[in-house]
Amino acid sequence: MNAPGSVFISYPGTMTDATVFSQGYSGISIANHWVLAHGSILSDKAQRSRKLLDFVDASIPGKVMLLEPRVHGKLFDDLTFLIHRNPGSSIESGKPLAIWKCPLLSDTIESFFANWNFQNNQRFDRIFLPVFLLIACDTVKSIENPANRQFESELTGRGQKGGIRLESLDNGGKVRDILLELAKQSATGRPAKGSTVEILSTPFGNPFFSDTMSRGIVGNLLGMKECLMVIDAAVFPGCQGAPVYFADNRARKTVCGMVIASSCWCHGERIDYTFAINLLPSLNQVLQTRVGRNESLCSTSPLLLPFTRRRNRNDKIGILERSVAIVRCGPNWGTGILLEARTGTFVTCAHVVATAPERKIELVSYIASRTEKSEWSARAKLIYKTPANKPYDIAVLKIDIKCTETSMKAIKLANRPAVNGEPILSIGFPFCSAGRATISNGIISKSSECMLQTNCCAQSGVSGGPIVRPSSLEMLGMIVCNTVSTNDATAYPRLCMAIPTSIIKETLDNYLRTADPKTLEDLTQHDQITEETWNLRSPLLRSNM
């Protein structure tokens, strides 16, 4: 089997004499003449075919269905794809051979993404999220002159005749062998939280952008058997189906995932993370189920190595996780940073606990929990918070339990200030007020005396989270907010503001030394320049942010 690569998938008829329309999809070339595609490739046809939508919706998760012409011809016989591997290479005609719905992903979508919207908020977008296709290909034409009617007619004709004779193949065995080989390759590079990954995709479904590379880190692993990767790499619509590669410390790349969602919204907020399926646990699950008509995929296959939940965990990421907890106050939640384990002192944003003391404050940690239940939770006392609409939007909390008896670890405040362009990590609790923290990497975009700007991904729930130096995990600042345009209420998660550690460290140290709440009054700033900076106003120019 060749190393899995990125391909561009389109439909016959998208090429004319003079124009190549930007309608296509990303996919993974997993062997000679075999391509793995995401279910979103069927969304266009599903809009015109209620039967196809109902067929996919009613399919049993984990059951691989062989698409045989005599059984499913009316649904799939006219479905022919064009597979574009590399510029200058031949184009292949592809027909779907098998389709399945990942049970791990189905359960995760039902539980974690209950209130989320994907793409255009259409019903079929959610239905096709856990669906995957195996496409069988056949070389049909050199790409010397693809944009001509004769070429288009030839491809369409082959599609009408069935193209590849799927019924002549040992379909069950072929599917088993292909998926087993892909699973073995995925097992050689297993992503952990903090792992660097690369995505090769075709943004906007336009072949001009094929093999566009994005790079980021795995911010979190969610769902059953960590089947879903949350990646802070930026991709664009049309990238569903793109391969995700894990690079080890020797720069060897292996495919570990596939992009399933590039655009989604939660509670009206656009999410700027990319979601991808973690291939190994998904394939392990599928290879232990049955192909249609009781043909076992595993009857003659050796068992794959079991998926280990936290194998190869980045030790530093684990330490960073231990320094933060979820802060809940009424309907709001955010991130709290442990300053001192002995006294249980935390710091967060004042707006996270805006309804306190009328509403109770609770801190929660899931770090050492091996179930859906929290490791610990504790009632928190509000020691001090800055007034509304005043810098620096900071609150100090204290809990009764001793953090020294938990897995928590106090963060270290940096002595050296941040500088422009410095690499950083951020951590917090976006998306929901339960579960493990999510991380993002970036740089200090701009540093001033009273504010840090970063390009980390700051979604709702990250408020109060730290930004740290990756090498030492020293806290450089605390995230307060991202940027929102006042003219159309568009949020920009990649432009966020943080309070520099350098301007609050002395006050926090004084409080930890004296336990006198009055020392925290120095956190509230009345300086005009500081207020103008945090209101994003210039003495000379008004901003629409």
Side-chain angles (χ1 to χ4, degrees), residues 507-527:
T507 301
L508 294 175
D509 285 344
N510 286 340
Y511 169 72
L512 293 175
R513 186 181 66 255
T514 65
D516 183 1
K518 290 185 178 180
T519 62
L520 297 173
E521 293 177 0
D522 291 339
L523 294 173
T524 299
Q525 289 293 308
H526 303 280
D527 177 71

Side-chain angles (χ1 to χ4, degrees), residues 150-168:
Q150 181 178 359
F151 175 63
E152 180 183 332
S153 175
E154 179 182 347
L155 289 172
T156 304
R158 291 182 67 89
Q160 292 173 346
K161 295 175 184 177
I164 302 168
R165 294 179 57 82
L166 298 180
E167 66 272 17
S168 67

Side-chain angles (χ1 to χ4, degrees), residues 22 57 118 120 138 205 240 252 256 258 360 405 413 436 450 460 509:
S22 58
D57 194 20
F118 294 87
N120 299 316
D138 185 25
Q240 298 93 317
R252 295 176 300 189
C256 65
M258 171 187 276
K360 69 177 183 179
E405 298 175 358
L413 302 182
R436 302 177 71 90
C450 62
S460 294
D509 285 344

Side-chain angles (χ1 to χ4, degrees), residues 458 481-485 489-497 536 544-545:
C481 59
N482 57 26
T483 308
V484 179
S485 174
T490 300
Y492 297 91
R494 299 284 180 172
L495 180 55
C496 56
M497 276 69 73
L536 303 186
N544 71 337
M545 306 301 284

Side-chain angles (χ1 to χ4, degrees), residues 67-73 167 293:
L67 303 178
E68 301 184 31
R70 63 179 179 273
V71 179
H72 308 99
E167 66 272 17
R293 296 187 304 165

